[in-house]
Amino acid sequence: LWVPSTSQVKPQQANQVAIGLAKTWHQFEFSIEGYYKKMSNLIEYKDGASYVNLEEDWQDKVAVNGKGESYGAEVLLQKKKGSLSGWVGYTLSWANRQFEELNYGKWFPYKYDRRHDMSVVLAHTWNKRMDFSMAWVFGTGNAITLPTAEYDGAATAMQGNYYNQPIRYYESRNNFRMRSYHRLDLSFSFWKDKKWGQRKWTLGVYNAYSRQNPFFMDLTYDRDRNRKFVQYSLFPFIPSITYSFKF
């Protein structure tokens, strides 16, 4: 939450330490790094708070003086030269937060907590006029808060009828994870030198195997009127054509 510090909301602070090692063999470079980050004076929306109501002071909507920590290790193998280049990277990490006013004062995984994160990138140049590239990424699903129970609230009158507004019970913060995220992007480029410069055509494919990656989840009903969680996704298989020139 990017807001100014006040007499009630202190400036956020963070201290980080990292140690790494890198080694180069001919065209290959290998590196490994570990890190630990400790944060204080964090803020986070309170349970049920809404940022839509502008009449209410935002300071009353947030929990303050939170603590946080993130730590992990990163490994990278990279080839920078030659007709075939690219890298393979992997990160193992944790990111947790704790607020006295939230989640019964217990630590919980934050939205940036992604246990596994991996990327594979390759680029191949066939000749002076054509190249190919691909990128595959994988990440552990985001931590989200979903209800674990639901019950009827007090009856309210509407147009002469009475309705029981359902109330959802949330056991803890970020108590579930969505499915893992992964996709493959491909790109073919063709270029040619002209008198006025260089023109280039690029044929690309985003999410080549049309992975239905989760964007958010919602609680709804199936055909038999049973409650169920439904995943919503964005950006399936998307082709693209790009023309550019340099002069």
Side-chain angles (χ1 to χ4, degrees), residues 39 42 67-68 95-99 106-108 110 112:
M39 295 157 279
L42 302 178
K67 296 184 294 184
N96 301 304
R97 300 287 170 91
Q98 188 267 335
F99 294 81
K106 299 179 181 178
W107 286 85
F108 60 90
Y110 199 52
Y112 301 128

Side-chain angles (χ1 to χ4, degrees), residues 93-121:
S93 62
W94 287 261
N96 301 304
R97 300 287 170 91
Q98 188 267 335
F99 294 81
E100 292 298 331
E101 302 177 61
L102 304 177
N103 201 49
Y104 307 104
K106 299 179 181 178
W107 286 85
F108 60 90
Y110 199 52
K111 61 182 178 181
Y112 301 128
D113 183 74
R114 177 172 289 185
R115 194 70 65 248
H116 306 284
D117 188 285
M118 185 175 184
S119 62
V120 180
V121 178

Side-chain angles (χ1 to χ4, degrees), residues 11 13 19 31 73 108 113 136 164 179 195 225-226 231 247:
Q13 296 182 354
I19 184 172
S31 64
F108 60 90
D113 183 74
W136 182 78
N164 292 95
R179 296 169 59 197
K195 292 181 179 180
R225 300 301 295 171
N226 296 317
Q231 169 190 297
F247 58 89

Side-chain angles (χ1 to χ4, degrees), residues 27-97:
Q27 298 180 351
F28 294 92
E29 181 177 301
F30 174 79
S31 64
I32 182 171
E33 180 176 321
Y35 68 94
Y36 178 81
K37 183 178 182 180
K38 188 173 183 179
M39 295 157 279
S40 60
N41 296 336
L42 302 178
I43 63 174
E44 180 69 13
Y45 276 117
K46 295 178 180 179
D47 295 332
S50 172
Y51 55 85
V52 178
N53 182 10
L54 300 180
E55 297 179 357
E56 185 179 353
D57 189 350
W58 66 266
Q59 297 179 93
D60 298 327
K61 303 177 184 180
V62 298
V64 298
N65 298 328
K67 296 184 294 184
E69 62 177 10
S70 62
Y71 52 92
E74 302 176 345
V75 178
L76 178 68
L77 177 63
Q78 186 174 13
K79 184 176 183 291
K80 299 181 178 180
K81 300 179 180 180
S83 60
L84 179 65
S85 60
W87 71 81
V88 177
Y90 171 74
T91 301
L92 175 67
S93 62
W94 287 261
N96 301 304
R97 300 287 170 91

Side-chain angles (χ1 to χ4, degrees), residues 85-176:
S85 60
W87 71 81
V88 177
Y90 171 74
T91 301
L92 175 67
S93 62
W94 287 261
N96 301 304
R97 300 287 170 91
Q98 188 267 335
F99 294 81
E100 292 298 331
E101 302 177 61
L102 304 177
N103 201 49
Y104 307 104
K106 299 179 181 178
W107 286 85
F108 60 90
Y110 199 52
K111 61 182 178 181
Y112 301 128
D113 183 74
R114 177 172 289 185
R115 194 70 65 248
H116 306 284
D117 188 285
M118 185 175 184
S119 62
V120 180
V121 178
L122 294 175
H124 179 66
T125 302
W126 277 292
N127 49 51
K128 296 181 179 181
R129 292 187 175 184
M130 182 170 56
D131 65 15
F132 163 78
S133 65
M134 60 152 285
W136 182 78
V137 295
F138 173 89
T140 299
N142 290 338
I144 57 173
T145 304
L146 295 177
T148 53
E150 185 178 79
Y151 56 92
D152 291 334
T156 58
M158 182 179 296
Q159 297 180 351
N161 297 316
Y162 286 89
Y163 298 91
N164 292 95
Q165 184 69 25
I167 298 177
R168 297 175 181 178
Y169 171 71
Y170 296 86
E171 184 176 350
S172 59
R173 280 217 168 192
N174 292 343
N175 51 349
F176 289 93

